[in-house]
Amino acid sequence: MVDGKIVIDDVSYAYGGDWILRNVTLHVPPNAVTVFFGPAGGGKTTLLRLINRLNDLVEDTEMSGRILLDGKDIYDRRVNVPNLRRRVGMVFALPLPIPGTIRENVLYGPKLAGMNNPDQLGDILERSLMQAALWDEVKDRLDSPATALSGGQQQRLCIARSLSLEPEVLLLDEPTSGLDPISTRKVEESLYELKQNYTIILVPHSVQQAARVADYAAFFLMGELVEYRPGVDIFVAPRDKRTEDYVTGRFG
Amino acid sequence: MMSQAETSEKPQFIWTEFVIEASIRVLGFSTIGFVLLIFLFLLLEGVPVFWEVPLKNLFGTRWYPNFGYFGTLPLIFGSAFVTLTAIIIALPLGVLTAVFIREVAPEWLREILKPMVEVLAGIPSVVLGFFGMIVIAPLVRVIFNAPTGLTVFSGALVLAYMSLPTIISVAEDALDAVPKSYRDAALAMGATQWQTIWHVVVPAARSGIAMAVMLGMGRAIGETMAVMMVTGNAARMPLDLGSLFMPARTMTATIAAEMGEVARGGIHYHALFGIGIILFLLTFIINLAAALAIFRKQRRGGLR
Ligand SMILES: Nc1ncnc2c1ncn2[C@@H]1O[C@H](COP(=O)(O)OP(=O)(O)OP(=O)(O)O)[C@@H](O)[C@H]1O
Ligand SMILES: [Mg+2]
C-alpha cells in the first residue's frame, strides 16, 4: 500500500458504548485528494474529527487503534494539540464564520499563532482568499461582517480560514453541501491547485462529486471500511458488491 | 358531500371549551388589570408630592422629612451606588461561573452545580441580610478599618450574591445557545479551550450576557430587606469613592423604614410614594433595556 502522510491503523471508535467505527485501517497518500464516501451515519465525519483531535472534548467516548501523521502518533501524550490542529485544518459541513469581519475570520488562526506583522498578515489574507476562490468577490469589503456573505461565500471563507495557516493536511467535510453548482465548481477546481501542496481528505456530498475529485476513494458503510482504491477504479470497477450497489445508485 | 361541507363550516359549539377559554381569558386580563391598578394607585398617592413640595426641594440633597426637607437625590444616588457596585462584583463572578458550569465542568459536576445555583435563588433575603449583618459587616469594618461595617460595600456584596443566581442561569442559557460548531471552528484553528471561550463563545453570547446583567440589576435595585439591614441607612450623598465604605440609604429601604410611621395622606406619605414612582420608572427602564437586548437577538435570528 502507498506510504501514508496519514496512517489510520486499526481505529475503532464509540459514542456512549456504540461502536460507530470498527477496525478501520487506511493510508492517506500525500498531495492527492482522498475521498471518504458512503451513506449517512457511516462514521465519515467522526473519522475526520479524529484526525485533528476535535473529538477530544466530546464526553463518554472510547477509541482504540492509532492515527499517525508523518509516522508519529497524534494521540501521543506529548503532542501539542493546538499545533496539531494548525497542521491539520478542517472545514465543516455547515459554514460557520466566527463572530467578526471577513478579515478577522481569515486572520484569526495566524494571529492566535502569534503572527502580527501587518505586511505578512495582508499577504496571508490575499493568498488564502485567492486559493479559496473568494478574493474577487470580497476584496472591497474585507471589513464587513462575515455573516453578511451568502452561504456559498461563507463556505469559501471557511476554506480560506483553514488555508491561512498553511496546514499540511486539509480535511473537508461536505464543503459544498450548501453551495450552488457554480460555487461548487469553483471549490472543486481549487482542489486541483491545492493538492499540489496539501494532503486533502474530502467527504463529498454526492457520489458524482466523489467520482469527479477523487484520486483515492474509501467507501464506508456502517462504520466499516468496505473498499479503498484509486478513485477511478472504485467507481468504474468496484470489487465489493456493496460498493457497486452504492455507486450505481442501487443502494436502499 | 353537501352536508359534510356544511357541518365543517359550522363547528359544533362545545360548552367545556367555551368555559375553559373564557376563564383563561379572564385570568389573563385580570393580571394585567392588577398591574394597572397598582400603577394607578402608585400615581394617585405619589403624584401630589410633585406640587406639594417645590422641585428644588424634592431634588435636593437633604432628606429630613420631619423638618420639611424632601431631597430624594441621596436616596437615588444611594440606590444607584449600591446597585452598580453590586453589579461590578457580580458580573465577573456570575459570567465566570456560567462559563465554568457550561464550558469547563464535566457533565456530572454540571448536574450538581446547576441545582445548587437554583437553591441559592431560593434563600430568603432576610436570611442573607442577617448573614450580612453578622458576618460581612464586621469583616468589612475590620478589613477596611471603617467606623462601621454597615456600608455601601457590605450592601453591594449581599446584593451581588442575591443577583448571582439570575446572572448565572441567564448567562448559562446564552452560552448554551452558542452552536457547537462555533467552538469546533475556533478549536480547528488551533485555539486552546480558553481562547475558544474568550474569543468566540462569550462574544457570540454577549447579548444574552448583557440581558443577564440587566435582569440581575433589576433584581438588585428593587431589593429591600437585605439592603436595609446592611447598608447603614444614613441618607447622605455618596459623592466620592470613599463613600463606598460609608453608610448609605436606598430608595427601597427608605420606603420600607418610614412607611409605617407616616400619616396617611400627608406630604411625607406622598413623598414616599413619589420615590416609589421614581423606582418604578428606573426598574422599567432597566427591564426595557433587557427586553430590547432580547428583541435584537431574536431579530438577528439564527446566526446566519
Ligand atoms: N457527538 C456524538 N454523540 C453521539 N453520537 C454521535 C455523535 N456524532 C456522531 N454520532 C453518531 O455516530 C454515527 C456516525 O456519525 P458521523 O457523523 O460520523 O457519520 P457520517 O458518515 O459523517 O454521516 P453523514 O453522511 O450523515 O454526515 C452516527 O450514528 C451518529 O449518530
Ligand atoms: Mg458527516
Side-chain angles (χ1 to χ4, degrees), chain A residues 49 59 85-86 96 108, chain B residues 107 181 184 187 189-190 199:
Chain A
R49 294 173 64 89
E59 289 177 31
R85 295 194 183 123
R86 288 187 187 110
L96 262 178
Y108 181 65
Chain B
E107 187 73 32
S181 16
D184 284 346
L187 288 171
M189 303 302 299
H199 298 164

Side-chain angles (χ1 to χ4, degrees), chain A residues 39-46 48 93 173-174 203:
Chain A
K44 307 173 299 277
T45 299
T46 305
L48 287 194
D173 190 3
E174 304 190 27
V203 176

Side-chain angles (χ1 to χ4, degrees), chain A residues 49 52 54 57 59 82 85-86 88-90 92 94-99 108-110 112 147 151 154 161-162 164-165, chain B residues 105-108 110 179-193 195-196 199-200 203-204 206 303-304:
Chain A
R49 294 173 64 89
N52 73 351
L54 259 190
L57 290 177
E59 289 177 31
R85 295 194 183 123
R86 288 187 187 110
V88 183
M90 178 144 182
F92 304 90
L94 278 178
L96 262 178
I98 49 186
Y108 181 65
L112 273 185
T147 41
Q154 289 188 17
R161 192 173 64 189
S162 299
S164 67
L165 286 165
Chain B
E107 187 73 32
W108 61 268
R110 185 181 310 155
K180 203 171 108 357
S181 16
Y182 269 33
R183 299 172 177 81
D184 284 346
L187 288 171
M189 303 302 299
T192 62
Q193 197 187 354
Q195 288 168 329
T196 304
H199 298 164
V200 178
R206 63 176 178 267
L303 285 141
R304 256 298 161 80

Side-chain angles (χ1 to χ4, degrees), chain A:
Chain A
M1 192 96 214
V2 254
D3 210 19
K5 170 80 179 171
I6 297 169
V7 174
I8 295 163
D9 179 18
D10 199 24
V11 166
S12 301
Y13 194 80
Y15 288 110
D18 280 341
W19 292 89
I20 55 99
L21 283 173
R22 279 183 309 266
N23 305 99
V24 174
T25 296
L26 174 98
H27 292 222
V28 178
N31 300 79
V33 175
T34 301
V35 156
F36 291 177
F37 74 111
K44 307 173 299 277
T45 299
T46 305
L47 187 53
L48 287 194
R49 294 173 64 89
L50 292 180
I51 297 174
N52 73 351
R53 295 191 55 169
L54 259 190
N55 262 21
D56 282 12
L57 290 177
V58 182
E59 289 177 31
D60 196 15
T61 60
E62 276 172 88
M63 178 180 171
S64 70
R66 295 184 309 159
I67 297 179
L68 311 180
L69 175 66
D70 288 335
K72 297 214 180 65
D73 188 349
I74 63 167
Y75 281 88
D76 190 290
R77 258 187 308 113
R78 281 162 301 181
V79 167
N80 175 331
V81 180
N83 269 344
L84 169 75
R85 295 194 183 123
R86 288 187 187 110
R87 292 175 62 195
V88 183
M90 178 144 182
V91 175
F92 304 90
L94 278 178
L96 262 178
I98 49 186
T101 65
I102 295 172
R103 185 194 303 275
E104 283 164 357
N105 262 272
V106 179
L107 295 181
Y108 181 65
K111 280 186 178 161
L112 273 185
M115 195 172 295
N116 47 25
N117 177 336
D119 292 341
Q120 230 175 343
L121 288 173
D123 289 347
I124 292 177
L125 182 68
E126 186 169 342
R127 174 187 55 77
S128 316
L129 287 168
M130 291 260 214
Q131 284 180 325
L134 188 61
W135 176 250
D136 289 334
E137 287 156 68
V138 301
K139 62 170 184 273
D140 300 321
R141 46 172 175 153
L142 293 168
D143 292 307
S144 53
T147 41
L149 296 172
S150 76
Q153 290 170 328
Q154 289 188 17
Q155 187 57 282
R156 278 176 285 148
L157 179 68
C158 294
I159 295 177
R161 192 173 64 189
S162 299
L163 293 175
S164 67
L165 286 165
E166 297 195 62
E168 298 158 36
V169 179
L170 198 54
L171 310 173
L172 302 162
D173 190 3
E174 304 190 27
T176 57
S177 55
L179 302 197
D180 60 282
I182 296 173
S183 313
T184 301
R185 212 182 58 222
K186 281 187 185 163
V187 171
E188 286 179 12
E189 276 166 7
S190 62
L191 290 180
Y192 288 102
E193 288 286 316
L194 292 171
K195 75 180 175 195
Q196 312 305 325
N197 299 315
Y198 302 91
T199 300
I200 297 174
I201 303 179
L202 177 127
V203 176
H205 74 257
S206 66
V207 179
Q208 288 75 15
Q209 184 177 46
R212 279 198 301 270
V213 301
D215 295 315
Y216 297 87
F219 178 60
F220 284 86
L221 183 63
M222 313 288 282
E224 191 190 334
L225 174 59
V226 175
E227 187 167 350
Y228 177 45
R229 296 166 60 203
V232 226
D233 300 1
I234 204 171
F235 298 107
V236 179
R239 285 200 187 118
D240 196 290
K241 179 75 171 58
R242 292 168 292 173
T243 318
E244 183 180 346
D245 286 351
Y246 186 71
V247 296
T248 54
R250 254 177 290 156
F251 207 87

Side-chain angles (χ1 to χ4, degrees), chain B residues 100-176:
Chain B
F100 178 74
I101 293 181
R102 180 48 55 191
E103 302 288 324
V104 185
E107 187 73 32
W108 61 268
L109 189 55
R110 185 181 310 155
E111 295 308 313
I112 298 174
L113 285 175
K114 282 193 66 160
M116 273 173 65
V117 171
E118 273 147 36
V119 169
L120 253 188
I123 300 178
S125 69
V126 67
V127 173
L128 282 178
F130 188 62
F131 176 78
M133 264 171 101
I134 302 299
V135 181
I136 295 179
L139 274 178
V140 167
R141 184 169 56 82
V142 173
I143 294 174
F144 297 99
N145 198 15
T148 165
L150 300 175
T151 63
V152 170
F153 186 67
S154 327
L157 277 180
V158 174
L159 273 192
Y161 197 75
M162 295 189 68
S163 48
L164 270 180
T166 312
I167 296 182
I168 293 171
S169 53
V170 179
E172 207 206 299
D173 287 345
L175 292 173
D176 193 32

